[in-house]
Amino acid sequence: MNASRRLWVGLGVLLLLSFAVLLWVGGEIHRVMPPIPSAVVTENGTTVYTRADIQKGRQVWQSIGGQQLGSIWGHGGYVAPDWSADWLHREAVAWLDIDTQRETSQRYSQLPEDTQAAFAARLKPRIRNNTYDASTDTITVSEDRALAMSQVAAHYESLFSNDPQTLELRKAYAMKDNTVMTAENRAALTAFFWWSSWSAVTQRPGKDITYTNNWPHDTLVGNDPPGHLFMWTVFSVMFLIAGIALLGWHHARHKDEAPPELPATDPLALIRVTPSMKATGKYFWLVIALFLTQILLGAITAHYQVEGQEAYGFALANYLPYSLSRTWHTQLAVLWIATAWLGMGLYIGPAISGHEPKYQRFGVNFLFTCLLIIVVGAFTGQWLAVMQKLGLDKNFWFGHQGWEYVDLGRFWQIFLFVGLGVWLTLVGRALWPAIKKGGESKSIITLLFLSTVCIGLFYGAGLMWGEHTHLSMVEYWRWWVVHLWVEGFFEVFATAVIAFLFTRLGLLRTSTATTAVLFATIVFLSGGVLGTLHHLYFTGTPTAVIALGASFSALEVVPLAFVGFEAYQTFKLGSATPWMQRYRWPILFFTGVAFWNLVGAGLFGFLINPPLPLYYMQGLNLTPLHGHTALFGVYGLLGVGLMLFCLRGLKPNVVWNERLLKTSFWAFNIGLACMALFTLLPIGIIQLTAAIDHGYWFARSAELMQRPIIQLLVWLRVPGDTIFSVGALSLAWFVLRLWIGPKQAKLEVPQGAQVAKR
């Protein structure tokens, strides 16, 4: 069995075992997730909430933006509080006030510290006690607790209305007035918030940890990190060190082969651009349009953290609320990057095989039209939902699902899934002749095809939940989409594409590239598949999730520790021969990808991935620190690099404006670094200190987030964001000039060869 075949067998076994474990974990989550009772009743039999109230409350929460406005169990936006943690702390204080006023005629906060400690010690066992009765399917609460719940509910009903008493708090949370329009829906919303906080403080049957593994941190109610978080954090570090050592040993054993003899001229210049390949140009125009819109919405979203409801005095929240601007900002990040990669796939298919299937151009144009309809239709539905004009009965299908990065209404999700199926068909039938032909490149092309299949099919994980599926199960399937689809198989696809391009350019031997790509895929997916679980530590899941997630998410970082080699090799290829100057900027963007892979995905990713750090950091600004530097720094720059490769093929005779590309490249990297170092990192550190010292609720509170130092750090985003925007505008102008008034240059080709007209 040759090396390539052994690697294929290893990849197959790895995926089979990894997904078997991942599916088993899903079954375990379903078995132990916190119950949603048929009723919450007091000791004298009064009904406080019903299951219908809790389920309707979640529908209301989703319709107003869900995880885009604050968060539940730590997943979501960062300006408004985490509602689970906020409710929990408010309920505990209200309950303590009831106790202390009965016995001392004073509020809890007015008592001496030793007296406060005595009352808090009495509260902990009462608030953590699991009173769910499976035989009656009810949760029983004391009369005092019911009174405390009603006081907190009154606060939330005021907050989500237009009550002047909570106006300043709404501004601090970037909430519009009448976020929830009707009193009935506001009352239902409180039922869902209470249930999410009950799950966070109630101990599992027979255990001394809560359904959310004692998250969020709040010493007042006894939510402190359990010992197994520390243990598995230590194990994750050990896995990381062992993985880096093994990969270093592999690199030491497999020295690079002597470079192949380079061609005299650009081999890709001779590829015939087919009608369908030419039709992909509009995809890259759409990439630019979506990217610029995303940046604009990002600026609006960031500004809301300063003014809350306005933009320099204009009541913007009445037309474009924060939860909507953030929804569109995060959705467009995925959409423009995915569009760049989809366009690359449609371009590279016929380029690889030299075969133009029948009606391929029609298929490319049809898919483009579908993408436009999905974007316009889905965004319109989300606006109607957040503005409370759609109604709860239609929201799930046509409005806002409320799940960060998977916000599309179910109809639009299905439409996009079908569209990905069309894309898979178009790319697959273009690649198939090359796969059948075989040859040295067969393994790379096959891996490219299989990653295309996975991209097309794995988005279907977003269809695995329904409108009333348990929150823990929704989170389980949602991260299949966000982690496996976006971070997993798109990366395999990109790795295979880049390897193929470099082999076609004659910069890498096909045999070497094949082995390297298969090995890199195995290393990445060995941690990537089960590493999905690090998102699920505190979402009502068993401790097995922490053990597996901590171990395998550490392995995700292993290949990133060696991206310096990748960056160096990529940079060397960019100057390997004079004609490679034509591909200098795509390759430099790939070099930038390697850098941000190490910093954004590796350094900042591992900062928050181990269980104990994430216990304190989940949902703080250290999360978007990783998110921004990894999503744009890796996948965004990679999308731009792939797009530039395609544009070089689409417009081979056009002289590229090197100054514009240089400006774009450095502005992107400098702007992203400024955003991370001047704002997200320092705010995250301030929040982390507050979470450790005072509790997670305080780290997300208006009291902390409205402090002058935080406001100053938010304003410090302006220089970085401005520089970044200059990069985007330079890239947009560069692409526009390829079609409008381009400067033509004579293309040098071997004697006797012909270049097809573009």
Side-chain angles (χ1 to χ4, degrees):
M1 186 183 293
N2 60 35
S4 177
R5 186 177 297 273
R6 286 196 299 270
L7 288 171
W8 274 112
V9 171
L11 178 59
V13 171
L14 169 70
L15 291 176
L16 182 64
L17 293 176
S18 296
F19 279 102
V21 173
L22 194 59
L23 290 170
W24 171 79
V25 168
E28 286 297 292
I29 293 173
H30 188 271
R31 185 177 62 84
V32 303
M33 60 194 184
I36 302 176
S38 61
V40 180
V41 298
T42 64
E43 291 172 340
N44 67 9
T46 303
T47 299
V48 182
Y49 294 126
T50 66
R51 178 181 292 135
D53 294 331
I54 296 170
Q55 291 177 335
K56 183 178 179 180
R58 197 182 88 175
Q59 288 179 283
V60 174
W61 170 71
Q62 290 176 253
S63 73
I64 62 175
Q67 291 175 328
Q68 304 291 357
L69 184 65
S71 59
I72 293 289
W73 292 349
H75 289 147
Y78 312 105
V79 177
D82 180 88
W83 304 114
S84 309
D86 188 68
W87 179 293
L88 176 58
H89 190 76
R90 288 179 184 276
E91 182 184 330
V93 172
W95 197 348
L96 285 168
D97 280 342
I98 293 170
D99 282 350
T100 58
Q101 286 177 334
R102 180 187 298 123
E103 298 185 24
T104 68
S105 300
Q106 289 183 299
R107 299 176 68 89
Y108 173 75
S109 60
Q110 298 171 327
L111 297 175
E113 285 188 16
D114 57 342
T115 309
Q116 284 184 344
F119 276 100
R122 287 166 48 187
L123 173 70
K124 289 177 185 178
R126 288 185 291 165
I127 199 170
R128 297 177 68 83
N129 184 35
N130 192 336
T131 58
Y132 172 71
D133 185 344
S135 63
T136 60
D137 195 22
T138 59
I139 295 173
T140 303
V141 297
S142 67
E143 301 299 325
D144 284 352
R145 184 171 192 178
L147 179 58
M149 290 163 58
S150 68
Q151 292 176 5
V152 180
H155 164 75
Y156 277 99
E157 289 175 25
S158 169
L159 178 66
F160 283 84
S161 70
N162 61 352
D163 187 346
Q165 292 187 358
T166 47
L167 175 60
E168 292 305 313
L169 200 54
R170 278 196 295 278
K171 290 181 178 179
Y173 293 163
M175 294 169 56
K176 73 182 185 73
D177 291 340
N178 274 329
T179 300
V180 179
M181 296 292 290
T182 68
E184 178 186 353
N185 284 351
R186 290 193 288 269
L189 181 64
T190 66
F192 172 64
F193 284 171
W194 177 82
W195 174 83
S196 72
S197 71
W198 175 87
S199 303
V201 75
T202 302
Q203 293 181 338
R204 292 182 180 274
K207 297 184 181 294
D208 59 357
I209 57 171
T210 71
Y211 285 105
T212 58
N213 288 298
N214 283 8
W215 189 94
H217 176 52
D218 192 341
T219 303
L220 187 64
V221 297
N223 267 9
D224 293 305
H228 62 260
L229 293 188
F230 176 78
M231 179 182 71
W232 287 111
T233 297
V234 172
F235 270 99
S236 71
V237 175
M238 292 174 62
F239 271 100
L240 173 64
I241 295 172
I244 291 175
L246 286 172
L247 194 59
W249 175 75
H250 171 82
H251 274 275
R253 286 188 65 237
H254 295 81
K255 301 292 186 182
D256 294 334
E257 297 181 14
E261 185 176 344
L262 298 175
T265 56
D266 178 7
L268 293 184
L270 304 180
I271 292 178
R272 181 178 68 89
V273 177
T274 67
S276 71
M277 293 167 66
K278 190 173 183 180
T280 61
K282 63 178 71 67
Y283 282 76
F284 304 119
W285 305 340
L286 181 61
V287 166
I288 296 298
L290 295 178
F291 185 28
L292 293 177
T293 306
Q294 190 227 350
I295 292 173
L296 175 62
L297 288 166
I300 293 171
T301 302
H303 187 77
Y304 267 127
Q305 196 168 348
V306 178
E307 286 197 74
Q309 293 182 336
E310 300 177 340
Y312 302 103
F314 177 71
L316 186 61
N318 293 338
Y319 308 96
L320 183 65
Y322 169 87
S323 62
L324 190 63
S325 69
R326 189 177 189 274
T327 297
W328 289 351
H329 175 66
T330 55
Q331 284 282 279
L332 286 171
V334 175
L335 286 172
W336 79 256
I337 293 171
T339 301
W341 294 25
L342 296 180
M344 174 63 173
L346 294 170
Y347 176 88
I348 204 68
I352 289 175
S353 65
H355 172 64
E356 174 83 347
K358 194 174 183 180
Y359 301 120
Q360 184 80 353
R361 181 174 180 272
F362 171 80
V364 170
N365 291 332
F366 175 75
L367 181 58
F368 180 79
T369 303
C370 289
L371 286 174
L372 291 179
I373 294 173
I374 290 169
V375 171
V376 174
F379 281 25
T380 300
Q382 289 171 344
W383 185 86
L384 291 171
V386 173
M387 300 304 290
Q388 301 285 278
K389 297 177 183 293
L390 195 61
L392 296 184
D393 55 332
K394 299 183 182 68
N395 179 69
F396 177 77
W397 281 92
F398 300 101
H400 199 310
Q401 283 204 46
W403 310 116
E404 191 180 27
Y405 295 110
V406 195
D407 300 289
L408 303 183
R410 176 52 53 86
F411 173 81
W412 303 109
Q413 275 187 305
I414 295 172
F415 197 165
L416 180 55
F417 182 61
V418 173
L420 289 169
V422 173
W423 176 76
L424 165 60
T425 303
L426 293 172
V427 177
R429 69 188 197 137
L431 287 174
W432 191 247
I435 296 175
K436 288 176 62 178
K437 183 180 178 182
E440 277 192 316
S441 299
K442 182 179 179 180
S443 285
I444 294 180
I445 298 172
T446 301
L447 187 62
L448 179 61
F449 172 71
L450 292 177
S451 63
T452 303
V453 172
C454 290
I455 290 170
L457 297 182
F458 267 81
Y459 184 75
L463 307 177
M464 296 300 290
W465 65 79
E467 188 169 8
H468 298 297
T469 300
H470 195 285
L471 182 61
S472 296
M473 293 308 302
V474 174
E475 285 295 299
Y476 170 75
W477 288 113
R478 184 173 78 90
W479 287 107
W480 275 56
V481 179
V482 180
H483 186 92
L484 286 175
W485 186 65
V486 177
E487 299 181 30
F489 294 108
F490 266 116
E491 179 143 334
V492 175
F493 172 78
T495 302
V497 167
I498 293 171
F500 176 82
L501 289 173
F502 283 0
T503 57
R504 279 295 178 93
L505 288 169
L507 301 173
L508 292 175
R509 298 183 190 277
T510 302
S511 58
T512 303
T514 299
T515 303
V517 168
L518 285 171
F519 181 76
T521 301
I522 290 172
V523 171
F524 178 76
L525 292 182
S526 64
V529 176
L530 292 179
T532 306
L533 299 176
H534 79 260
H535 300 283
L536 304 175
Y537 293 154
F538 312 117
T539 57
T541 54
T543 53
V545 167
I546 294 177
L548 291 167
S551 303
F552 286 92
S553 65
L555 294 180
E556 285 187 276
V557 185
V558 169
L560 305 181
F562 286 83
V563 294
F565 295 109
E566 175 190 339
Y568 177 66
Q569 294 298 329
T570 303
F571 182 76
K572 284 201 306 181
L573 294 175
S575 57
T577 186
W579 56 261
M580 272 302 295
Q581 288 299 311
R582 290 168 48 80
Y583 302 99
R584 176 171 180 252
W585 288 107
I587 288 176
L588 275 177
F589 273 94
F590 294 157
T591 305
V593 169
F595 172 79
W596 288 110
N597 238 333
L598 176 61
V599 176
L603 180 63
F604 294 150
F606 193 71
L607 172 68
I608 64 173
N609 279 0
L612 188 58
L614 190 60
Y615 178 83
Y616 294 104
M617 297 181 192
Q618 180 164 283
L620 305 185
N621 272 261
L622 295 172
T623 302
L625 171 70
H626 164 59
H628 281 75
T629 53
L631 185 59
F632 179 80
V634 178
Y635 300 101
L637 289 180
L638 188 54
V640 173
L642 293 174
M643 179 179 72
L644 291 176
F645 250 113
C646 295
L647 292 176
R648 174 54 82 188
L650 288 170
K651 296 290 181 179
N653 297 333
V654 173
V655 177
W656 279 18
N657 189 323
E658 301 279 331
R659 181 176 297 176
L660 286 176
L661 287 176
K662 182 178 181 180
T663 301
S664 177
F665 175 80
W666 287 111
F668 281 151
N669 285 281
I670 294 172
L672 185 59
C674 290
M675 184 192 311
L677 299 178
F678 294 165
T679 299
L680 298 176
L681 181 60
I683 291 179
I685 291 173
I686 292 171
Q687 286 184 296
L688 175 60
T689 303
I692 295 172
D693 291 344
H694 304 289
Y696 185 82
W697 65 273
F698 182 73
R700 295 284 300 273
S701 68
E703 181 182 350
L704 176 71
M705 298 306 291
Q706 292 300 308
R707 288 181 177 178
I709 181 62
I710 300 290
Q711 296 298 297
L712 173 63
L713 291 170
V714 172
W715 276 109
L716 284 178
R717 277 194 61 159
V718 173
D721 287 2
T722 302
I723 294 170
F724 189 91
S725 300
V726 168
L729 291 172
S730 298
L731 180 65
W733 184 245
F734 166 80
V735 173
L736 183 67
R737 288 304 305 271
L738 293 180
W739 273 268
I740 299 178
K743 182 179 179 181
Q744 302 289 331
K746 184 177 180 181
L747 181 64
E748 296 183 6
V749 298
Q751 188 173 1
Q754 293 183 349
V755 179
K757 294 182 179 180
R758 280 13 180 208

